[in-house]
Structures are given as structure tokens and as C-alpha cells.
Amino acid sequence: MQEFDPRRPTLRYAPRLFVGLGGICALALGWKLTAAEATAPAPPPLDAAAIAALQHEAFAQAEAQPGFSRPESVAVEVRPGDTLEAAVARTGVSPEDARQAVRTLAEAMDTVNIKAGMTFDAAIAKPKTADGETRLVGLSLRTGPATAVTLSRTFDGALRLREMEEAIRNETMVAQGEIQGSLYESAAKLGANSAVTSQVVKLFAHKLDFQRDIKAGDEFKLVFERKVTESGRVVETGAVDYAEVKGVRFYRFVRNDGSVDFFDAEGKNVRGFLLRTPVDGARITSTFGTRRHPVLGYTRAHQGVDFGAGHGTPILSAGDGVIVEAKRWGGYGNWVRVRHSNGWETGYAHASRFANGIRPGVRVKQGQVIAYVGSTGMSTGPHLHYEVWRNGQRVNPIGAKVPQGTILAGAELAAFKARKAHIDNLLTAQAQAAAPAKLAALDTDRALADLRR
């Protein structure tokens, strides 16, 4: 993007770099300037820490303006109820400087509808005499994950505006390790955010109960896509291409009709007919069978499974189907019933409320949010009572033998195998790269053990 100041000579960056605010120019080293006149080769990418260090150093070493001390960097956060002008004025500069800065910034961004918590860095110069006013000599403000605007003051007192944009690259991330604590915590340490892990948890809901089947030390591997700026800021997290937990492996594959699903190593669809757990992160608090009712106080059949979860936790449809009932139903409180194919139905009781658009006749997909955990009806606390019906008869959700998924064949199977080979190569390369570090750690442990003898 071109600068707004028309006085800027073509290709004459050098004179400007040594006047005004050096800090803003140093910040630009980590960004890709998109001005059409710029012909110099782009500097190597810098991480966020390097950019911050350069900016701080440049602020401290910037050319002093006549009558002022060297500029110093001030970090500012917009407070609730603040205007941008008020936030700039909090650096100690004059009201006129704050107004001038906001007027200039308004050429490139919305300076009115700002949100509390937004941050920016300002460079100010204090007067050498007691009766002078602190002066704003520069300002740097991020306007998006990969964009920023900067101001720098020239010797004639004008504030120059620059817009900068980082290039965004696509990355394929490979994360593998052992579960210590929760999968969310373990994956986060390896660069997978909660959005990625949520996809994995939903994927494995057909095969694993994360409360009962997973223990500390179990291995996991993830391959996922993400978009990253030159400075290392994650802009967007994409789809999970591969997931493995406790040796169970799933590969993402786009079918000929454009649909996306996950398959095991043999090309068999791993998406079961019904989810084993229709609530993320829930724990089983009561199983199918005879029990003493917690409210009524006497023993009777419990014809479903109870999952304990916090109030408002999303309830997911266990499979594709059509909403048959979404209503208040006696002791079940807010109740949803979904009809699936081949005589299967599922029911969800005690919901706090239904999801938007959930009503009889609406089609839902497996994993779609249909309601939220609550304690309506005959209930002692927030939980989901989950039932499975087969040809009109209730069956145990845990032991029910439900239909399996489809198997790829022909050209689709060949394309899947090629995709699988690519993922396997990524995993092998990652394992080989990590092997020297593991050997070094092992040698260190042995050396320490020898010293203790």
C-alpha cells in the first residue's frame, strides 16, 4: 500500500530513516512493505520477540529532535470508555498532538469504533526545559493479524502515515507427544490451539471416551494446517489432516462429491453411526440399568446414561437425522428426540434450552449442537440424560451395536492412499528430526546418573 504523504520522493527511504522516529522504521523490518516504489529485497522474517526488541532499541536510539530528549517507548492499552484520542493523550503528550495523531490515523482506519483492550506503542520525547510539552514523535498500532499502521514525525512537524502488511504463508504443522494432564493442555504445548483439539475430540468421540479410555503417557500425533504471518503470528487454524491417539489413526480425505470425512489406514470410514459421547469433556455419572432414583428415593430402571457436565455445555446430535420432538416432557424437562435411519432414535433430557432453529422436522448432522446442558425437570444438578432407541425399544447406549461406516474403493481408494502416503512421510520426517534431541536428552540423563554414583 502506498503512503498517504505525497511529498515522499520515490526510492528515497534513507534520509527518512535517520530522522523522525527510528523506532517505526525498525518495526518495518519485520513487515513486508507493499508500496509499489519499494524495490529493495525483503528482509528475512522476524519473530514477534525480535520485532519488539528492534522497536524498543530504535525508540531508545532515535535521533533527538531540537529541544527534546531522545524518544522513549510507551505501551498503551485502551481502557473501557476510552476514545483513541484519550488513550494517546495518556502518554503525556499535548491535546493537540493527540488530536493530530488521531486525525492522521483516521485516513487508514476506523478511529471511532475502537474496543477496550486494544494496544499500541507510542514514542514520546520530553522537553529539555521545564515549561515545554511532551511531544509525540511516533506511534505503531496493529489493525489486524497481518496489518499495522505507523506514524512518524518529520522535522517540519508533520506526522507521516504508513500502512504495512505482512505476507501470510500456509503451514502444515506436525505435533506429536504424550498426554500429560488433558489432551487440550498437551496439544497446546506443541502448537495446537483449542480449535484444533476440539476437532480431534469430536473425531474420536466415535471410538474413545476421553474420560475413561485415556491415561497419562498415552501418545498422540496431529497434523493440521494453519496460516501464519512472517513474524510468526497465527492468523487462522485450518482443518486437521491426521489424528492419532493410542494407536487409533484417522486420515482426512475429500471425496469425489466434495464431502469431507475421516478414514482409517485401510480406507474405512471411521465416523460411526452414533457418537459414543454426545457432550464434549463429559463424565458418566450414572449408567443404564436399575438404580435408586436420586429424587424419588426408590429403585427403578434407569433407561439411559447420564453425563455430568457444566450448565450450558453444548449437547451434540449423536448422528445424522431429523428432529422428532423438542419440547418440555414431564420429569425429563427440556427434551429433544432425533430420528436416525434404520429404526434408530436418540433422546436428550434436562436441557437448559434448545439450540437456535431446533424444532420438529429440522434435519441435523452428526456433531451439530441441538441443545445445552441444564437441570430442568426431575434433576438434582446439571447433566445430560442420554437415551438410544432401536425400533421403539430403549437399549444401552454404551453397548448398543450400531451400523459401521462405508469403505473407499476404486479411484477414491487410490487417491486416499496417495494422500495417506504424504501424511505418513510428514510423520516420519518429524520423528527423524526429533530423534537427535531425544538421544541428547538420554545421554544427559546417563551422565547425571554416572555423577551421582
Side-chain angles (χ1 to χ4, degrees):
M1 300 178 189
Q2 296 186 352
E3 298 174 7
F4 287 87
D5 188 350
R7 297 170 298 175
R8 175 172 171 266
T10 303
L11 293 176
R12 293 185 180 180
Y13 287 118
R16 306 293 187 181
L17 293 172
F18 297 102
V19 297
L21 178 63
I24 303 304
C25 301
L27 178 64
L29 289 175
W31 295 79
K32 179 182 179 181
L33 293 179
T34 57
E37 301 90 348
T39 58
L46 300 175
D47 59 27
I51 290 175
L54 283 174
Q55 182 185 27
H56 177 77
E57 180 181 357
F59 279 165
Q61 297 179 358
E63 184 76 20
Q65 296 200 349
F68 291 88
S69 60
R70 289 185 180 276
E72 59 183 83
S73 176
V74 178
V76 181
E77 179 175 341
V78 176
R79 299 170 181 171
D82 258 353
T83 62
L84 184 56
E85 185 175 320
V88 174
R90 247 193 345 268
T91 63
V93 301
S94 69
E96 177 55 34
D97 267 7
R99 282 192 295 272
Q100 183 185 8
V102 174
R103 281 197 302 267
T104 307
L105 288 171
E107 300 176 32
M109 61 174 287
D110 182 354
T111 57
V112 177
N113 299 306
I114 61 173
K115 296 181 179 180
M118 183 180 74
T119 60
F120 60 88
D121 289 315
I124 62 172
K126 294 182 178 180
K128 292 182 177 179
T129 60
D131 57 347
E133 291 183 321
T134 299
R135 192 173 199 187
L136 179 72
V137 294
L139 186 146
S140 172
L141 188 150
R142 185 176 291 277
T143 55
T147 57
V149 293
T150 63
L151 298 179
S152 59
R153 191 178 295 280
T154 58
F155 274 145
D156 61 4
L159 283 173
R160 171 186 296 173
L161 175 71
R162 276 195 181 94
E163 293 183 75
M164 296 183 289
E165 183 175 359
E166 285 185 282
I168 298 177
R169 66 180 184 273
N170 294 320
E171 280 188 350
T172 299
M173 290 291 295
V174 179
Q176 49 188 333
E178 294 182 352
I179 295 178
Q180 300 295 337
S182 70
L183 177 62
Y184 283 89
E185 295 169 333
S186 305
K189 294 177 182 177
L190 299 175
N193 61 17
S194 59
V196 169
T197 313
S198 293
Q199 293 183 56
V200 175
V201 170
K202 289 182 179 179
L203 178 61
F204 278 89
H206 306 92
K207 298 292 183 181
L208 298 174
D209 185 321
F210 277 83
Q211 296 297 319
R212 298 179 298 163
D213 299 336
I214 303 300
K215 62 181 183 298
D218 286 340
E219 293 187 351
F220 71 94
K221 298 177 182 179
L222 305 176
V223 178
F224 57 95
E225 306 296 327
R226 67 180 189 178
K227 296 182 183 296
V228 184
T229 66
E230 288 177 316
S231 60
R233 182 184 296 269
V234 177
V235 177
E236 179 183 327
T237 300
V240 173
D241 291 326
Y242 172 85
E244 178 180 343
V245 178
K246 293 191 69 172
V248 181
R249 298 182 291 166
F250 295 155
Y251 295 83
R252 182 178 182 270
F253 180 66
V254 181
R255 304 194 63 179
N256 289 341
D257 62 1
S259 62
V260 177
D261 223 326
F262 286 82
F263 298 82
D264 65 14
E266 305 303 320
K268 181 178 179 181
N269 190 333
V270 299
R271 188 167 73 97
F273 184 68
L274 298 177
L275 298 175
R276 290 188 62 184
T277 308
V279 183
D280 284 348
R283 65 191 186 282
I284 294 179
T285 56
S286 185
T287 56
F288 185 92
T290 303
R291 67 164 189 177
R292 183 180 179 84
H293 196 279
V295 176
L296 299 176
Y298 57 82
T299 300
R300 72 172 190 175
H302 185 236
Q303 300 183 352
V305 172
D306 289 350
F307 293 95
H311 189 279
T313 302
I315 299 171
L316 313 177
S317 176
D320 298 346
V322 178
I323 302 294
V324 178
E325 295 175 329
K327 65 180 184 180
R328 188 84 175 190
W329 189 28
Y332 279 55
N334 290 330
W335 161 262
V336 180
R337 185 160 60 99
V338 181
R339 179 170 295 154
H340 312 285
S341 60
N342 301 320
W344 292 89
E345 295 181 348
T346 52
Y348 314 79
H350 307 305
S352 61
R353 62 185 178 91
F354 307 126
N356 292 337
I358 295 302
R359 60 184 182 278
V362 171
R363 298 197 65 85
V364 292
K365 301 292 290 183
Q366 186 178 72
Q368 180 178 335
V369 177
I370 57 175
Y372 298 89
V373 170
S375 188
T376 57
M378 199 177 296
S379 169
T380 58
H383 72 285
L384 167 66
H385 173 80
Y386 173 58
E387 296 186 354
V388 174
W389 303 54
R390 173 67 166 140
N391 295 328
Q393 300 294 320
R394 291 180 175 91
V395 297
N396 187 347
I398 296 177
K401 295 182 178 180
V402 298
Q404 298 298 310
T406 58
I407 300 176
L408 296 174
E412 279 194 320
L413 180 59
F416 168 75
K417 287 183 176 179
R419 177 64 177 166
K420 173 183 176 297
H422 172 69
I423 296 295
D424 290 345
N425 289 337
L426 290 176
L427 293 168
T428 299
Q430 175 74 4
Q432 291 174 346
K438 291 182 178 179
L439 290 174
L442 181 60
D443 290 342
T444 301
D445 292 341
R446 288 175 178 170
L448 290 174
D450 290 340
L451 289 173
R452 296 190 185 101
R453 293 173 183 170

